[in-house]
Amino acid sequence: MHTPVALLLELGVILTALSLLGTVARRFALTPVPLYLVAGLLLGDGGLAPVPAARDFVDTGASIGVILLLLVLGLDFTVREFTASVRRHRSSAVVDLVLNSAPGAVAGWLLGLDAGGILALAGATYVSSSGIIARILGDLRRLGNRETPAVLSVLVVEDFVMAAYLPLLAVVASGGTWWQALFAVVAAMAAVAAAIAVSWRWGHHVGRILSHPDAELVLLRVLGITLIVAALAEIIHVSAAVGAFLIGLALTGRAADRARAVLSPLRDLFAAVFFLALGLSVDPGDLLPMLPAAAALAVVTAGTKLAAGWYAAGREGAGRRGRLRAGTALIARGEFSIVIIGLAGPTQDRLAALVTTYVTLLAVCGPVLTRFAPTRHALPRPLLVRNRAAAPARNEVSDARPRRAPQRPDSGRDGARPD
């Protein structure tokens, strides 16, 4: 068998570089996501050291990375808990949609874009990056915070909105008729509703099917089923990440704990590849011409996301600091905006450059703002997790046992009182 020396060498250099960047980030109690994104900028086309042999692997690994991020995130919740949270945050979803799509639509109109361009820019400013935010919440140990259910509810509602938005954008950008757009939206929403109903009604059987005493078989079963569901979701124009999240919700009890334990190292590997790939997809030469317009749009929509997160966290009873953490957590944009560029960018040169610069700014700055959002020492209390009766693994973010309050001020865990 031929050994692809160039591929192995480039991958080895990439992973070593990522490990060094991760070490630097941990040294200063930061999430490594911004550093991974910057590394992608330096290694991509037009960067200092392109990696052509590893590009296909990185692109494929990025798709797996966002799937694993949302799968493991879904393992921390049950379907009933999450649907109750989504119902409570219907008004939050409306506030998020109005506040964050309006700046993009206005900017598209001021730039003289056509209907497809305006719709695309509105979507790019509206939707946050589920992959980046899921990683940030884990890195900063905030999955047990009072405001986190609000953040996750807003994110998943955005992903479901994308299930209707992306088919609509594809039709509008290609010059299709209104009835073709309506049919695409209705078909996508029907598929999403069916998937949620199946997960709600028969989700408890999934854990029985995927459970096994052998960790290797658990890994193969869970990952295999998740990839199949993610592929089916993409076929019906629903995000693969949404399909993975539903699988995570369907697993309960010890099945969820086992899956989390075996998947976490794999998630960390491919998540790093995902953030690297976002940077690789950007040519640094495209950033400078649109930097002023993108920076202005980034400032405005960072403020509107902050307002949306503030409102949503308030519905969870979070205090001022919790609301601010929720708002900063939602600022990062990422994978969906790249998809939007792919649909509308070929016919909108200025749009592609603007959105690329805009996403790069917020994907790098968003995690930094989230890290430095105000926190305080946490009071010892058990975290709210999906299965309080199960024996959780030690050192997991979702540990349900009472723990000593962390000594680092950046832990971000809320106490029993809202802050």
Side-chain angles (χ1 to χ4, degrees), residues 302-321:
T304 54
K305 276 293 181 185
L306 184 62
W310 182 283
Y311 176 84
R315 296 186 62 81
E316 290 288 342
R320 181 179 58 83
R321 293 182 179 182

Side-chain angles (χ1 to χ4, degrees), residues 203-276:
H204 60 284
H205 296 298
V206 176
R208 300 176 187 173
I209 296 173
L210 300 182
S211 296
H212 194 276
D214 191 288
E216 178 183 354
L217 293 181
V218 172
L219 172 63
L220 294 175
R221 289 179 180 182
V222 174
L223 184 57
I225 293 296
T226 301
L227 293 178
I228 291 172
V229 171
L232 295 176
E234 287 289 337
I235 290 174
I236 60 176
H237 302 292
V238 178
S239 168
V242 172
F245 188 81
L246 291 175
I247 291 294
L249 289 179
L251 291 174
T252 58
R254 294 189 179 277
D257 295 331
R258 293 268 295 169
R260 188 185 303 108
V262 300
L263 287 169
S264 291
L266 198 64
R267 174 206 59 187
D268 293 340
L269 170 63
F270 283 102
V273 174
F274 164 68
F275 302 122
L276 178 76

Side-chain angles (χ1 to χ4, degrees), residues 388-411:
R388 296 166 177 81
R394 185 178 299 272
N395 294 329
E396 288 289 334
V397 171
S398 58
D399 195 336
R401 290 176 291 185
R403 305 177 57 167
R404 183 184 301 274
Q407 297 303 309
R408 295 189 328 182
D410 64 296
S411 65

